[in-house]
Amino acid sequence: MNSPHQEHVHKPAFDPTVQPVPASVVAQVDAADFTLNNPKTAVIALGGNLGNRLETLQGAVDALEDTPGVRVKAVSHVYETEPWGVPEGSQATYFNAVALVRTTLPPESLLERAQAIEEAFLRVRTERWGPRTIDVDIIAYQDVASDDPALTLPHPRAHERAFVLVPWYDVDPAAELPGHGPVAELIGAVGSAGVRRRTDVELRLPE
């Protein structure tokens, strides 16, 4: 049986018997009733080394929250890391973070949104491992496994990247990377050297 709150949600907007549902009640229903929209959990890695790195990461978090069907549930600490796959000192250091989201979007639509956010922050793909304003990468989507070249799930290299695993552990210490095991154990295997937490900056969880 539907709860009264669910009935209110599903009645037409013009029905004169409908009374506004307090925002606090809506939030509680959204958080507690997974059957309402059947949201899934996704892990999204953020990183960039051009421009105002913190401002860009925060802008990406805010843009995710502004996406219909997406709610940002947690954001990690900010970490500073050396660029991956390039000679030492050839690029500026990165700011990296992870956002944990609940979403009703299918993986393909979430990918489209991630790419749109990158484009909004002028992400330019001119060379592999090149500097960039922002990366918005889907690391995992619930327990979905896919070898689609357009969106491989989970991310095929996440298990070996401390700059993804360490902030992921921040937001979900019990997390497991499908096919690879607990994130905590993966961090133990790859180590966390070079992933430096920036205690002087932080990302805000959208209200």
Side-chain angles (χ1 to χ4, degrees):
M1 177 180 291
N2 287 336
S3 71
H5 300 311
Q6 289 173 298
E7 291 173 357
H8 285 175
V9 170
H10 289 96
K11 283 186 177 181
F14 56 79
D15 188 328
T17 67
V18 172
Q19 298 299 317
V21 178
S24 60
V25 174
V26 174
Q28 289 172 9
V29 171
D30 179 54
D33 189 355
F34 290 171
T35 67
L36 188 61
N37 292 307
N38 193 29
K40 302 294 192 295
T41 298
V43 179
I44 299 180
L46 308 169
N49 69 337
L50 292 178
N52 188 323
R53 298 168 296 175
L54 181 66
E55 184 177 279
T56 302
L57 260 62
Q58 185 66 60
V61 170
D62 293 344
L64 285 169
E65 176 67 18
D66 288 341
T67 304
V70 176
R71 288 293 174 267
V72 179
K73 294 300 184 181
V75 290
S76 72
H77 298 299
V78 176
Y79 293 86
E80 189 165 23
T81 64
E82 294 295 330
W84 178 272
V86 299
E88 184 176 353
S90 63
Q91 292 183 26
T93 56
Y94 275 78
F95 271 9
N96 294 99
V98 159
L100 194 66
V101 307
R102 297 285 289 172
T103 182
T104 56
L105 298 180
E108 297 78 12
S109 297
L110 189 60
L111 175 63
E112 290 177 2
R113 180 57 174 165
Q115 293 174 338
I117 293 171
E118 290 181 340
E119 292 174 5
F121 285 98
L122 306 179
R123 163 69 194 271
V124 178
R125 301 175 185 274
T126 56
E127 58 178 302
R128 192 181 189 191
W129 313 126
R132 69 287 308 270
T133 54
I134 188 72
D135 267 338
V136 182
D137 290 329
I138 302 173
I139 301 302
Y141 183 102
Q142 202 77 10
D143 55 358
V144 172
S146 169
D147 57 4
D148 185 341
L151 178 58
T152 304
L153 291 170
H155 191 289
R157 293 176 295 280
H159 65 285
E160 61 187 24
R161 293 183 171 176
F163 62 82
V164 170
L165 298 170
V166 172
W168 186 0
Y169 182 83
D170 276 353
V171 294
D172 188 0
E176 294 197 15
L177 180 62
H180 294 279
V183 168
E185 293 182 8
L186 295 174
I187 293 173
V190 302
S192 58
V195 182
R196 303 179 297 276
R197 179 181 168 187
R198 288 290 299 262
T199 58
D200 57 325
V201 297
E202 64 179 4
L203 294 171
R204 302 181 311 275
L205 188 64
E207 298 180 356

